[in-house]
Every structure is written in C-alpha cells, then in structure tokens.
C-alpha cells in the first residue's frame, strides 16, 4: 500500500504535472535543474503542511515566490492531490493562495474516497486542519502524511550529526539525516540481531577492512552512544570520523533499507552520492528488495544505478513547454528493440530516453 498517484500544480518548476502514477519502485532521472529535486521536495512540503509547520517552512525558504511556479506574477495558486492505493482510494487535496505578506494560505482542503468527498477546511487558514480532524478516514491520511520523510545522508563533514554522539534512547525511528544512527543501530543490535547482522554484512561487502560495529553506551556518559567500529586484524576501536564518506553513507543507507519495519514510503534524493560502483550495485539490490514491502521514490544522476533497474521503474524528468517540468514513465515494451543492444544507462547517455541536457 502506498501512493497511487500525485498531481501537482504551480509548485516550483512544476506548472502542471498531470496525474503522475507511482509504483512500488520509482527512479527519477533527468538533467540538472530538470525538476527531480522539486518533485522530491514536494513530499517534504506535504509533511510540513500536515504537521502544521507550513508557515515557518515557507518563511525559512524564501516565502511564496520561492514555491510558486515563477512566482506570484505567473501563478495565482499552488495545489496538490495525493491518491493512495488502498481499498477506498483515499485522496487528499489542497489549494493554497499567496497573500500580501508573501506567505501561502489555505483556500481549500479536502478528503475524498470512493464513499464521497468531505471538506476539511472551509475558511481561509494559515495551517492545515487535517491533524485536528477525528474522522475515521482522516486517520489514514494522517498516518501516511506524517511519515513522508526525505532521507539524505549527504553531510559527512567533521561536524556532521552522523559523527556526533547520539542520545542512547533516541531510537524510535531513523532520522532523516541519520543523526541518531548509533542509537538506532544499538537498538537493532539488542532487539533484532538478524537485521543488525545483515547491515554489518552489507558494510563488510563494500568495505573489506570493516570487521563490525562496536556499539555500547559511552563509558564516561552512559546516556550517549558513539558510532564505533573495529578494523579486521586490529583491537583498536575507531569512531565515525575514521570512516570514508562513502562507507558512512552506506552504513546509513543499509540501516534505512534493511531495518525490520521500514517506513511505508522511503524517499531518497541521490542516494548514490560518493558510492563506489560495487556499492551502487548493492544499493540497487536493497532498493529492489525493500520495494516489495514499501514504496520507494528516489532521484539519481548515476548511469550505473539506472542500469540496475528495469524501464518500468524509471520516471524521466525534463523541462519542456516554456520551462515546465514534465514527467514520463518508461516502458520495457517500447524500449525492447533498443535493449537488445544497449543497457538502460547507455540509452540514457545517448539521449534515447530523454532526461539529458539539450
């Protein structure tokens, strides 16, 4: 069960996406600036909308003109409709209008199912009313919109949260930036050894020097825990500061994708960043595996990663029609002739698929 389709209007470079059908596995490809990240960021926008943090989010990110397609001069509203793939086809839709302060306010908010349409917001409001509703159908929407997180493990610098100690009890779920990776892995080590060992084996396969994690509460401050590990053949214990960027990101990706109860929707922007081609192959296998139990949406610039998927998994993103972002789902049947001689990545490089700079 996941998102069946999404329809976005006047959001950043997306003037009108049309109804974009989503599958269990969705891989967005396209040139720089085509709109992949804008599509991905719409899910964060939805989450901020649901948790009633929309106004702060808009102010912190450049106000209404930064969200509307070419600003208020060209777009008088922003709207979205998300339809879920379940028995009742639960649907959530909203329309926002820019105001004189540079914010976006609700004009309407609706819940729709096969049993009928109900209005959530019937007056102009600054924040969504969905969270406040007690309707049975609203429970489904709340549970799904609340879990729309965009995972990104790009920050691996010296002061990255990935390299800082975690609160030992901060393990309810893996955070979007992996800031609680040590605590979350420790929880798996103590409660689900099978998943924990799988994660260790994946890391060992792409980093042969890695012997295993060394996870326990800090000896000086037992309320904290560091991401520590051992190297094969040595007794010395190392910290995350001694891991390469690619290995550290792979630890986070493996933990996200191999945890026993992953989120219903996993969204990752360019997960291949900094990974060796062999690690990319491992990543693809994990993405395909987890898509059997939850929905996966990723964007990528990697030809190697695209080669690991089938055409039906691919959504091509490109700018057309006066700089509008458009979406096209590939078809294995349509490309069967080409795939006799070329890989999917090669077809992308040759611009047979689209999604390349013109």
């Amino acid at each position: 069960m996941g998102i069946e389709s999404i329809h976005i209007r006047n959001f950043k470079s997306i003037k009108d996406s049309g109804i974009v059908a989503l599958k269990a596995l969705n891989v967005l490809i396209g040139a720089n600036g085509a709109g992949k990240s804008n599509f991905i960021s719409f899910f964060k926008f939805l989450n901020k909308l649901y948790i009633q943090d929309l106004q702060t989010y808009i102010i912190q990110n450049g106000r209404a003109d930064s969200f509307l397609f070419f600003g208020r001069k060209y777009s008088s509203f922003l709207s979205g409709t998300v339809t879920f793939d379940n028995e009742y086809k639960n649907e959530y839709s909203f329309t926002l209008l820019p105001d004189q302060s540079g914010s976006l306010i609700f004009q309407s908010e609706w819940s729709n199912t096969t049993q009928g349409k109900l209005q959530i917001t019937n007056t102009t409001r600054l924040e969504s009313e969905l969270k406040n509703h007690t309707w049975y159908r609203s429970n489904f929407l709340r549970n799904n919109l609340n879990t729309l997180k965009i995972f990104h493990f790009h920050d691996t610098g010296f002061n990255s949260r990935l390299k800082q100690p975690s609160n030992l009890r901060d393990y309810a779920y893996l955070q979007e930036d992996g800031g609680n990776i040590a605590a979350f892995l420790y929880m798996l080590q103590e409660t689900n050894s099978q998943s924990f060992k799988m994660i260790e084996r994946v890391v060992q396969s792409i980093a042969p020097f890695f012997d295993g994690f060394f996870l326990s509460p800090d000896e000086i401050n037992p309320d904290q825990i560091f991401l520590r590990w051992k190297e094969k053949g040595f007794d010395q214990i190392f910290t995350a500061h001694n891991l390469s960027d690619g290995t550290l990101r792979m630890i986070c990706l493996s933990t996200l994708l191999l945890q026993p109860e992953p989120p219903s929707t996993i969204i990752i922007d360019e997960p291949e960043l900094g990974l060796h081609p062999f690690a990319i192959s491992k990543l693809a296998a994990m993405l395909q595996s987890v898509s059997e139990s939850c929905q996966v949406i990723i964007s990528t610039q990697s030809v190697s990663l695209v080669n690991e998927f089938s055409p039906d998994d691919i959504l091509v993103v490109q700018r057309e029609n006066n700089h509008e972002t458009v979406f096209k789902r590939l078809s294995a049947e349509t490309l069967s002739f080409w795939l006799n001689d070329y890989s999917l990545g090669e077809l992308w490089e040759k611009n047979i698929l689209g999604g390349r700079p013109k």
Side-chain angles (χ1 to χ4, degrees):
M1 182 186 300
I3 298 172
E4 180 179 275
S5 66
I6 189 165
H7 188 183
I8 306 168
R9 297 182 66 190
N10 293 325
F11 180 76
K12 298 188 177 180
S13 64
I14 306 170
K15 182 172 178 58
D16 190 336
S17 69
I19 298 176
V20 180
L22 297 179
K23 300 184 176 183
L25 180 55
N26 306 272
V27 181
L28 278 69
I29 65 171
N32 289 327
K36 302 185 304 296
S37 293
N38 291 341
F39 185 80
I40 293 289
S41 70
F42 186 76
F43 293 98
K44 184 170 187 176
F45 187 86
L46 274 174
N47 182 254
K48 291 294 185 181
L49 179 154
Y50 165 71
I51 65 174
Q52 299 179 334
D53 193 32
L54 182 63
Q55 298 308 317
T56 300
Y57 183 63
I58 291 170
I59 290 171
Q60 290 177 340
N61 289 274
R63 298 188 179 273
D65 281 332
S66 295
F67 290 91
L68 290 166
F69 177 76
F70 283 94
R72 285 173 290 179
K73 182 177 179 180
Y74 292 91
S75 302
S76 59
F77 68 94
L78 187 162
S79 70
T81 299
V82 184
T83 305
F84 293 92
D85 182 18
N86 69 334
E87 179 182 359
Y88 299 106
K89 300 298 180 185
N90 288 66
E91 184 177 282
Y92 172 73
S93 62
F94 67 90
T95 299
L96 300 170
L97 304 176
D99 67 5
Q100 291 183 344
S101 70
S103 191
L104 291 165
I105 58 175
F106 281 86
Q107 180 189 49
S108 64
E109 191 176 15
W110 294 86
S111 167
N112 191 21
T113 71
T114 54
Q115 297 177 325
K117 190 173 184 178
L118 294 174
Q119 191 166 19
I120 300 171
T121 298
N122 54 16
T123 59
T124 301
R125 292 183 181 275
L126 292 173
E127 298 289 352
S128 167
E129 283 292 296
L130 176 60
K131 197 174 182 180
N132 304 328
H133 272 267
T134 57
W135 301 330
Y136 176 77
R137 69 167 65 177
S138 295
N139 291 334
F140 178 88
L141 295 175
R142 283 196 295 269
N143 291 338
N144 281 273
L145 295 178
N146 190 41
T147 59
L148 290 179
K149 311 289 186 183
I150 300 175
F151 292 93
H152 54 90
F153 309 121
H154 298 177
D155 183 7
T156 53
F158 184 82
N159 295 316
S160 163
R161 290 188 67 220
L162 292 172
K163 296 182 177 179
Q164 308 308 312
S166 302
N167 183 316
L168 185 66
R169 295 171 181 81
D170 186 9
Y171 53 70
Y173 56 87
L174 183 64
Q175 294 173 2
E176 295 153 275
D177 64 353
N180 65 336
I181 185 69
F184 192 81
L185 278 170
Y186 179 66
M187 179 273 292
L188 291 181
Q189 173 185 273
E190 300 299 304
T191 64
N192 196 307
S193 60
Q194 182 178 1
S195 292
F196 181 77
K197 290 297 182 183
M198 286 175 60
I199 295 166
E200 277 195 322
R201 285 196 292 270
V202 168
V203 179
Q204 289 164 351
S205 71
I206 64 102
F209 59 85
F210 178 84
D211 190 45
F213 295 109
F214 184 88
L215 297 171
S216 62
D218 185 60
E219 293 80 1
I220 297 175
N221 186 349
D223 289 330
Q224 292 186 333
I225 185 169
F226 287 82
L227 181 62
R228 296 187 287 183
W229 59 282
K230 284 188 173 182
E231 184 163 339
K232 287 181 180 178
F234 295 89
D235 293 329
Q236 184 178 352
I237 298 170
F238 296 95
T239 68
H241 287 85
N242 302 105
L243 291 167
S244 69
D245 292 350
T247 303
L248 186 53
R249 291 186 185 116
M250 196 61 173
I251 288 172
C252 294
L253 288 164
S254 302
T255 303
L256 170 63
L257 299 174
L258 296 177
Q259 62 181 298
E261 297 182 13
S264 58
T265 302
I266 294 177
I267 308 168
I268 319 175
D269 195 8
E270 297 188 2
E272 76 280 359
L273 186 67
L275 298 185
H276 185 274
F278 180 73
I280 288 177
S281 180
K282 290 281 185 179
L283 169 63
M286 290 190 293
L287 289 168
Q288 290 165 337
S289 178
V290 78
S291 70
E292 295 177 6
S293 58
C294 66
Q295 190 169 46
V296 174
I297 303 169
I298 69 167
S299 67
T300 184
Q301 296 275 23
S302 169
V303 171
S304 297
L305 187 57
V306 168
N307 276 332
E308 301 288 336
F309 300 109
S310 72
D312 296 318
D313 299 326
I314 307 295
L315 267 172
V316 179
V317 184
Q318 50 194 16
R319 292 281 192 108
E320 294 179 357
N321 305 326
N322 299 320
H323 309 290
E324 302 171 19
T325 294
V326 297
F327 303 88
K328 179 183 69 174
R329 173 77 65 175
L330 295 184
S331 165
E333 182 179 357
T334 303
L335 293 171
S336 60
F337 174 80
W338 289 99
L339 291 171
N340 289 329
D341 299 309
Y342 300 100
S343 70
L344 199 57
E346 288 173 328
L347 294 180
W348 186 23
E349 288 183 310
K350 293 176 181 296
N351 208 19
I352 303 300
L353 308 180
R356 302 288 291 183
K358 295 182 178 180

